[in-house]
Amino acid sequence: MPPVRPTRARAVRANLAAALLTAAAIATTPRAVPAQEVIELPGDDRWLEVDFEEVYRVGVAAGEAWQEFGTIGRVGFDGAGNLYVFDRLAARVVVVGPDGDFLREFGRSGEGPGEFQSAMDMVVMPDGRVVIADMGHRAYHIFAPGGDLERMVRMSDTQVRRMYPEAGGESVVRGARMLGFSFQATPGSPLGLANDPRSIERIFLTGDEATVETAAEVWGPAWTKRTEEPMPGGRQTIMSRGPRRGFEPEVYTGVLPGGRIAFTDSSAYAIRIAERDGGRISSILTRPFPPEPVTERMMQAEKDRRLRDLEDRPENPVSRAGGRMTVSGSGGGARARERIETLEFAEEVPVVRGLRTTRGGRIWVLRRGDEPVSDGPIDILATDGRYIGSYRTGAVQLPDAFGPGGLAAFIERDELDVQTVVVKRLPRTVN
């Protein structure tokens, strides 16, 4: 069925909204769902002026130790406007007040409770509690608002995916983006890595072990493969994640007020809104920007780009944290080059390259630019179907965290390639 070509913003009812998007999405089976509202937004951009007030910035190459960040893995705000910076390399969380002054830090490397073995992600709850997903411990560290360890909750599986905070309660949302894996090997027994995520999940942290429920079903490509790897006691068969196809659509996720979830999971411009109970897709926000078919020229250009990046990668990358340096690995080598040269590709270039949600219920959508792997304009949408406007290409980046009162944090790099966090205040209309 060909896509609808709207002439103005209007909302229409459809029993099978997925069927509307089939022509513009990757080949997939339409999902039979209850009635969904497809909200067709206008195709003409309404440009917004960048009117952001800088509040403060933290992160320096040489200065006070608390500001010498190694690798910033995540940032977040609590309900009082305090900023939390998760320094993954230094295994710590730095807390900064609303005026940019240092408040405290907590966490360190180690094997005990509240110490990080392989901390991968952080979320900050509105009340100031902090949840750290630690793949080494296979547990979640939950810290009280003051930074003291409250308790640890065992992971119910081996996956560490990107997490998103929920207002109230004892739960977080887990997206589809995989950050790490943990498993134990027994000689002579087969190992199995989990299949690619096909759902957005809600993790409840009320007991000694986390419980997981499906928050929304998503589409995802099958890219696992069966390989044999040498292990102590003999070779083992492993179901491992193979290389993703070039231009494969990502699943971008954001949590909205009331526990609803906004996400996109196809090459089309289709922002789905899932309800808090049951994960029902209640509405889909679309704009008439069709995905572009992948050509031979695009495929070769993408391979060339990846090969250039591989050549520019240092043989022994060095990271810095609190006055110490750590060698984190080596260059790509022949295997990486072979994977690039034999890379397979999806059929279309996705329209959407990123998504964020604000506490006020706005959805920020990053579109692709002129080239397949390039950033374009950023759209601001409201969940009730209003198109607020767009920021021009390069005018602003997607914020890395939204806070109360219009606060937003951006992870940037200065002229010395040092990571800094810039906190700005956004206009009410986009927050």
Side-chain angles (χ1 to χ4, degrees), residues 45 47 365-369 375-379 390-394:
D45 289 316
W47 299 118
V365 181
L366 173 63
R367 287 155 37 197
R368 59 160 286 202
D375 294 341
I378 294 177
D379 298 341
S390 302
Y391 291 110
R392 296 179 187 273
T393 300

Side-chain angles (χ1 to χ4, degrees), residues 28-47:
T28 183
T29 303
R31 290 167 287 185
V33 295
Q36 302 167 353
E37 186 179 28
V38 178
I39 303 177
E40 300 171 2
L41 304 175
D44 293 333
D45 289 316
R46 181 167 60 246
W47 299 118

Side-chain angles (χ1 to χ4, degrees), residues 104-147:
R104 59 186 173 274
E105 67 176 69
F106 57 89
R108 63 181 182 181
S109 296
E111 300 182 358
E115 298 176 338
F116 306 148
Q117 288 186 331
S118 182
M120 302 297 293
D121 199 19
M122 172 195 78
V123 292
V124 182
M125 308 301 277
D127 63 3
R129 286 177 301 155
V130 174
V131 180
I132 299 286
D134 191 329
M135 189 172 65
H137 276 287
R138 296 183 67 175
Y140 300 98
H141 306 263
I142 302 179
F143 292 91

Side-chain angles (χ1 to χ4, degrees), residues 41-124:
L41 304 175
D44 293 333
D45 289 316
R46 181 167 60 246
W47 299 118
L48 301 171
E49 295 297 326
V50 179
D51 184 20
F52 301 172
E53 171 197 358
E54 182 171 321
V55 182
Y56 63 86
R57 60 179 60 210
V58 293
V60 295
E64 297 183 74
W66 71 268
Q67 283 205 73
E68 294 183 2
F69 300 126
T71 301
I72 299 177
R74 197 78 184 272
V75 292
F77 291 96
D78 63 20
N82 298 315
L83 173 71
Y84 294 68
V85 182
F86 170 41
D87 189 337
R88 189 164 54 202
L89 181 63
R92 62 173 182 161
V93 176
V94 175
V95 187
V96 180
D99 54 1
D101 290 338
F102 171 75
L103 295 182
R104 59 186 173 274
E105 67 176 69
F106 57 89
R108 63 181 182 181
S109 296
E111 300 182 358
E115 298 176 338
F116 306 148
Q117 288 186 331
S118 182
M120 302 297 293
D121 199 19
M122 172 195 78
V123 292
V124 182

Side-chain angles (χ1 to χ4, degrees), residues 1 4 10-18 20 33-40 275 280-284:
M1 178 177 179
V4 174
R10 66 187 187 275
V12 295
R13 286 282 177 180
N15 288 333
L16 291 174
L20 263 174
V33 295
Q36 302 167 353
E37 186 179 28
V38 178
I39 303 177
E40 300 171 2
E275 294 300 310
R280 180 179 68 86
I281 307 301
S282 58
S283 60
I284 303 175

